Amino acid sequence: MASSTAFWSFALVVGLLTLTPGLDTALILRTAALGRRTRAWGVVLGIQTGTLIWGALTSLGVTVLLTASHLAYEILRWAGAAYLLWMAGRMIAETFRHRGAGAGAGAGGEVEVGGADTLASGWRQGTLTNLLNPKVGVFYVAVLPQFIPAEAPHFASGLALTSVHVVLGVVWSTVLIASASALGTWLRGARARRVLDRVTGTVIGAFAVRLAVSD
């Protein structure tokens, strides 16, 4: 496969993958809709950091362990499911803890739910969410090598293709954050935020259960 053909073919595949609603989309939308733009961008950078790490590991051949070793995959799968369940449970529990006007309510009756609005906290959440999802690693093991030309340097080409995925992810995340921010005034109300957190927590919990029971 020629380099230019590989580039555009891979861009098409990961572009469609990026547009497909999933856990990353839910996290970014929820964080941005709550008015935490800085944290939302941290989540975006964390997710893309995880993507870049998966691409680098795949290019080095390390993530082949996920497909060759059932034990390695199972450990990462259960760790990921546990982390997602913890995150979903905490998200939903906080909506009941701060229900109504109380110590958790900020100015204007808005509820402070979802963690600090810092780049670092969002980056940690995004990175962990991505790296503890073994399906991302398996996707890269199955797909990335097919788009690396035989005559090209394996590691450098793998990183270059992964960078395409990262760029597309950032572009799409920009659209998501802008869209969520447009509804920010309404969504930052106490009742709307509780509903948003419960819906997002349920979606994340469903992803955790799906990850736990999937083969």
Side-chain angles (χ1 to χ4, degrees):
M1 182 183 295
S3 297
S4 58
T5 303
F7 176 89
W8 292 112
S9 299
F10 185 76
L12 176 62
V13 171
V14 295
L16 292 174
L17 179 66
T18 299
L19 292 175
T20 303
L23 177 60
D24 295 350
T25 302
L27 277 178
I28 294 169
L29 280 175
R30 180 256 180 184
T31 307
L34 293 180
R36 307 192 189 292
R37 289 178 62 90
T38 302
R39 184 183 177 93
W41 277 111
V43 171
V44 172
L45 294 176
I47 290 170
Q48 301 313 323
T49 297
T51 298
L52 193 60
I53 291 174
W54 279 120
L57 291 176
T58 300
S59 301
L60 289 171
V62 176
T63 48
V64 173
L65 289 173
L66 288 176
T67 54
S69 172
H70 181 69
L71 178 61
Y73 180 85
E74 287 297 299
I75 291 174
L76 189 57
R77 180 166 70 92
W78 283 106
Y83 172 72
L84 292 179
L85 279 176
W86 171 82
M87 184 164 56
R90 181 183 177 188
M91 194 177 294
I92 294 173
E94 284 182 343
T95 67
F96 290 100
R97 186 179 306 131
H98 298 302
R99 185 169 184 172
E110 294 182 354
V111 182
E112 296 300 327
V113 178
D117 185 20
T118 64
L119 199 68
S121 60
W123 180 84
R124 286 194 298 269
Q125 184 180 37
T127 303
L128 280 174
T129 300
N130 189 283
L131 290 180
L132 288 176
N133 186 353
K135 292 188 176 182
V136 180
V138 172
F139 168 81
Y140 265 86
V141 169
V143 174
L144 187 63
Q146 300 182 42
F147 294 92
I148 298 178
E151 71 282 359
H154 199 267
F155 183 71
S157 297
L159 283 184
L161 291 174
T162 303
S163 297
V164 174
H165 193 182
V166 169
V167 170
L168 291 176
V170 171
V171 171
W172 179 236
S173 296
T174 303
V175 176
L176 293 177
I177 291 175
S179 300
S181 297
L183 297 174
T185 302
W186 177 73
L187 289 171
R188 284 196 292 274
R191 179 176 299 179
R193 292 178 68 168
R194 285 197 299 269
V195 172
L196 179 64
D197 271 359
R198 290 171 188 174
V199 170
T200 307
T202 301
V203 170
I204 292 174
F207 274 105
V209 172
R210 182 180 178 183
L211 180 60
V213 302
S214 64
D215 185 359

